[in-house]
Structure formats: C-alpha cells, structure tokens
Amino acid sequence: MIKTARQVALETLIKVFESQGYSNLSLNSALSKNKLSVKDQNLVTELVYGTIQYQLYLDYQLTGLVKTKLKDRYLRPLLLMSLYQLIFLDKIPNRAVLDEANKLAKIMGRKNSSAFRLVNGILRSFIRRGAILPPKEPLNKYLSIKESMPLWLTDYLLNHWGSKRTEKILTSLNQRSKNCIRINQNASKPQVLNELQKLKINYEESSLSPSCYFVDKPIMKTDLFKSGQVTIQDEAASLVASCFDYHENDEILDACAAPGGKSMQMAENLTSGHVTCLDIHEHKLKLVKNYATRMKLSNKIKTKAVDARKASTYFSEGQFDKILVDAPCSGLGLLRRKPEIRYLKTMDDIKNLAKIQLKILNSVALLLKKNGELVYSTCSITVEENEAVIAEFLKQNPKFEIQAINLPKISSKAGLKILPDTYQSDGFYIAKMKLRG
C-alpha cells in the first residue's frame, strides 16, 4: 500500500516519541523506505521536525479540549501533528488538515471506528477557540510553554543569562537552521563560487568564517560536494580546527573524531603530517574513512577504535604536536537541527558528561609534545561542560595555559563561547591551551 506523506510523518512521530530516539535517524529511514515525491518528502520533514520542536506548546493547546485519556498510541502524535499544521502552516487550509486527520484516524484506528470522531471533535474545538498561552507570570513557565523548552532548561538559561537574553536565545533556537557549506581550503574559492552561480544556487558569506557560505539549495548531489571541494559544516563548528597554528608535518590526534568533519579540516593543512582519528565504535570510523575518501584526504588520515579516556594506554607520551578534543556533550547548542535533544537531556546528564569530558582531557594531555597545542570544544552552551571543565583541567594540569583565539572574523582572550542568538549559528564553545616547554 502506498502511504501518504502525513501517514509517513505520523508513523515516524510515533516511533520517535515511543523510542525517545533521534528524529533525523527515524526520518531518514522512513524517507528511504517510502517512495515519495520531493514535495511530499519536504512535507514529511516539516511535519516531523516541527511537531517535535513545538511538542510542549502543542500539548498545551490540548488543555480543556481532551476530556478522556488518549489510550491509542497514535492519537496524541496525530493530534499534535494536526495542531502544528493548523497553527504554523498557513498554506494548508483547515478543512484539509481535518480531512487528512480523519483519514489517518480511520486507518490507524482500524477496529476503533469512533476514533476519528474524537480527533475531529478535538480539532474543531481548537479551531473555534484558537491557540492559548499560560499567564506571563511566572516568566519561566510562560517561556517554557511559549518556546516549547523544558522548564529545567528554561530556568537554566534564565539563571545564567537573564530574562531578555534568554528570550532571544529561545527564539533563535526555534528558527530554521541554515544550510551552511565550507569550502575546502585546497579548492579554489572563486571557482567554487562561480560553479554555485552556474547551478543557480544562491550563496552568502558567513559572518563567522571566510570559508563558510550559506546556500539556498541542497548541494550533496552536486559535483562540488562529490569531489570534496565543499562539505557541509556549520559556521561555528568550522572555527574549531582553525584555532591551531599548523605546520605541514604535524602529527595530530583527533580524540573524538566521528563523523570526521573537523578531522578533514585539520588534514587540509598538512602535507607530510597525519591526523589520527579515534572513536569507540569501529562502524563510526567507517564514516571517517568514507569522508576522507570523498575529500581526497585518505593518505593523511589514520583511524583507531579507542575510548579516548584510555588513549594514554595506546599512544606514547609526547607523541602528538596537536590534539583536538571535540568532546561528547549534551548537544544543547544544536537544538535547531535536533529538536528532540531538549526533551531527552537532563541536568544529571550534563554533570555526568562533564566528568567524561575531564577524563578525556586528562588522558590525552599526556600525549602532547612540549609547546604543543590542545583545543577543546563542545556543541553545548552549558557552563558545566565548558568553562568549568577547562577550569578544573587547568587546575589539575598546571603546565597547561589558556591561549588567545585569533581568527579572521572573531577572537577571544580566553575560551570562546558562541550563543545561538549571536550569529544564528549552532551554539559552541572552544578553548585553546598550550603545554609549556
């Protein structure tokens, strides 16, 4: 049976809600299994990401409209997906949303012939009443519902950045992520930009990195991408590898390498040197190898399946000129791209991750040559995973000292923290350190 776009979206949402998994994996799997037009694929993507992103806000819209427990597993996802269309997708008429919701209720309900009446009644009641919000006081609860952000995380932002900045951060995190590409530094930028023009792909230079551009169309099927002249990388993430002062024969350790974007960026700076890429899982290192093949950098990339916390038992003291720890983190800077993270992470997770991050730093620190450079980064904005980890590391390793970060478009005397609202980029933290000789 050929499934409609909304049925594919609903089944994907059910899977994500029940498994508490990552939406991009479930979505990619669903799109690959179902033959949909490009238009329908775009609709599925919109419905899945949008419904997940605004889950708390959409749940709040059911207040006063649901008089009984929603027992069937598909009912809540169906109602939330329908509400998302009614509230956020102006080009879809209300009658079309109701009609499609009724059809899905009949398909999914099978034996429960009254399910579509329940769905129809709730949605019609919502249309008559309209969207609602809680009172503006207390502010934390209001913002939590309005921006669909868990209360603990809303409180965290308010405690660290105050009400005005928190509102800006929350608003920015619900905006669409940009399509950002990085031009391989071994490629000709004028030729790449000229080719983009020929492909009728509009581009705009990043305000953070001179090698990054925003494009208005996908580039994965272009020869530019396939040949490794460009790759997909957020502008903030591209800054990490740019922090090193390279020599062409450097031996570099990427302690947490997969999928390999930063590994390739570092390798582009080498001629006789190498980047040794670590990951716990062998299958993730295959992603790194494939990445290196596309970027034509395989001769500069080595891989080894190693837990970075145990790296000091696999390599020699002082073996590497430079070390990157792009640490496993909460990913709270990536909420535009992975909206479900906000519902999956807790403060306990952040505290546990901070312990792992410190262990990784302490392990790899032994492998750095004197006067070598160590760069630490996360795609999180929490103090616990960033400034606090670096402060404790420097306390335990007094021979290391923090270094200034001087890049073409941004600089910092100490650690560099990029909040999501500043450049509308991913949230990121970068610290550069040097081992005194």
Side-chain angles (χ1 to χ4, degrees):
M1 182 184 74
I2 298 176
K3 296 178 181 178
T4 66
R6 287 177 176 79
Q7 186 174 351
V8 173
L10 177 57
E11 291 176 352
T12 304
L13 286 168
I14 293 170
K15 185 176 181 180
V16 172
F17 287 163
E18 291 185 348
S19 67
Q20 292 192 325
Y22 288 112
S23 56
N24 62 324
L25 299 178
S26 298
L27 179 61
N28 291 339
S29 175
L31 292 178
S32 65
K33 291 177 181 177
N34 293 276
K35 295 181 179 180
L36 298 171
S37 66
V38 173
K39 182 180 179 181
D40 280 347
Q41 288 182 34
N42 291 338
L43 178 58
V44 172
T45 302
E46 173 74 37
L47 294 179
V48 170
Y49 282 139
T51 303
I52 292 171
Q53 179 172 314
Y54 286 102
Q55 191 179 154
L56 287 179
Y57 175 78
L58 297 172
D59 264 324
Y60 191 79
Q61 302 313 310
L62 295 176
T63 303
L65 302 181
V66 178
K67 309 296 184 181
T68 183
K69 186 176 181 180
L70 300 173
K71 296 179 180 179
D72 294 312
R73 59 196 289 263
Y74 68 89
L75 282 175
R76 177 175 170 268
L78 175 56
L79 287 168
L80 297 189
M81 184 178 79
S82 302
L83 289 170
Y84 177 74
Q85 295 171 80
L86 291 170
I87 297 169
F88 293 100
L89 302 186
D90 296 335
K91 292 182 179 180
I92 301 178
N94 289 353
R95 65 179 183 277
V97 176
L98 289 172
D99 184 52
E100 292 296 328
N102 290 338
K103 289 177 181 177
L104 286 173
K106 291 176 181 178
I107 292 171
M108 303 298 290
R110 294 187 179 94
K111 296 179 181 178
N112 186 1
S113 59
S114 63
F116 81 94
R117 294 191 184 92
L118 174 65
V119 169
N120 188 65
I122 291 172
L123 295 179
R124 287 186 179 278
S125 295
F126 169 78
I127 291 171
R128 287 193 296 269
R129 188 200 67 190
I132 58 173
L133 280 172
K136 290 189 175 182
E137 294 294 338
L139 182 62
N140 62 342
K141 292 183 179 179
Y142 171 77
L143 290 177
S144 174
I145 296 300
K146 180 176 180 288
E147 302 296 349
S148 211
M149 196 68 63
L151 188 59
W152 77 266
L153 187 49
T154 304
D155 285 336
Y156 184 92
L157 295 174
L158 286 167
N159 290 336
H160 284 82
W161 288 286
S163 59
K164 290 185 179 179
R165 189 68 191 272
T166 293
E167 289 188 50
K168 290 181 179 179
I169 293 172
L170 290 175
T171 299
S172 76
L173 287 172
N174 281 327
Q175 292 174 351
R176 295 296 169 85
S177 60
K178 302 174 184 177
N179 295 320
C180 188
I181 62 170
R182 180 180 63 81
I183 299 176
N184 185 328
Q185 66 183 58
N186 296 321
S188 167
K189 183 188 291 189
Q191 288 182 11
V192 169
L193 297 181
N194 185 53
E195 185 61 27
L196 289 175
Q197 287 181 327
K198 288 181 180 179
L199 294 169
K200 296 184 178 179
I201 297 176
N202 296 316
Y203 59 84
E204 177 187 353
E205 185 175 332
S206 158
S207 56
L208 270 177
S209 169
S211 62
C212 286
Y213 288 79
F214 304 117
V215 293
D216 65 348
K217 294 177 184 176
I219 56 100
M220 290 186 69
K221 293 183 179 180
T222 67
D223 289 336
L224 286 173
F225 181 81
K226 293 175 182 177
S227 64
Q229 294 180 73
V230 301
T231 193
I232 299 170
Q233 189 175 34
D234 180 76
E235 53 180 334
S238 75
L239 300 178
V240 176
S242 301
C243 290
F244 289 111
D245 297 316
Y246 292 98
H247 299 95
E248 60 185 20
N249 62 342
D250 279 335
E251 291 297 323
I252 303 174
L253 178 68
D254 190 347
C256 311
K262 299 178 185 67
S263 307
M264 303 310 131
Q265 193 176 352
M266 292 188 290
E268 290 169 16
N269 293 275
L270 308 178
T271 53
S272 57
H274 302 89
V275 180
T276 299
C277 304
L278 308 185
D279 195 273
I280 298 177
H281 305 291
E282 189 69 55
H283 71 274
K284 288 190 176 181
L285 289 176
K286 289 182 180 179
L287 298 176
V288 177
K289 293 175 183 177
N290 292 338
Y291 206 149
T293 299
R294 180 175 66 82
M295 300 294 285
K296 297 178 173 57
L297 292 167
S298 296
N299 62 324
K300 300 175 185 178
I301 297 292
K302 301 177 181 179
T303 60
K304 192 172 183 64
V306 171
D307 184 335
R309 290 171 290 185
K310 301 176 182 177
S312 59
T313 64
Y314 288 87
F315 301 97
S316 303
E317 185 174 340
Q319 184 173 339
F320 296 99
D321 301 286
K322 294 172 175 62
I323 297 176
L324 170 61
V325 176
D326 185 39
C329 69
S330 63
L332 291 175
L334 306 179
L335 295 187
R336 286 193 198 92
R337 303 178 191 281
K338 299 179 179 179
E340 70 279 355
I341 288 177
R342 68 186 74 189
Y343 308 115
L344 300 178
K345 299 299 181 182
T346 66
M347 198 64 213
D348 285 340
D349 292 326
I350 290 169
K351 292 176 180 177
N352 290 332
L353 283 163
K355 294 176 183 177
I356 293 171
Q357 291 155 354
L358 184 59
K359 286 181 180 178
I360 292 174
L361 279 173
N362 281 329
S363 176
V364 303
L366 301 170
L367 309 178
L368 190 64
K369 289 181 180 178
K370 291 182 179 179
N371 296 311
E373 296 174 336
L374 170 60
V375 169
Y376 173 83
S377 65
T378 75
C379 51
S380 176
I381 59 175
T382 68
V383 172
E384 289 79 2
E385 296 175 89
N386 297 318
E387 292 92 340
V389 168
I390 295 303
E392 184 60 29
F393 173 76
L394 294 173
K395 180 181 177 182
Q396 295 181 18
N397 298 270
K399 290 186 177 181
F400 280 82
E401 57 186 19
I402 200 80
Q403 300 286 292
I405 294 174
N406 295 306
L407 300 172
K409 294 191 175 187
I410 193 169
S411 62
S412 173
K413 291 183 179 180
L416 174 63
K417 176 173 274 186
I418 298 173
L419 295 176
D421 64 313
T422 308
Y423 299 94
Q424 305 307 314
S425 67
D426 288 345
F428 242 87
Y429 176 82
I430 310 169
K432 179 180 178 180
M433 294 165 284
K434 184 176 182 179
L435 176 59
R436 291 194 298 268

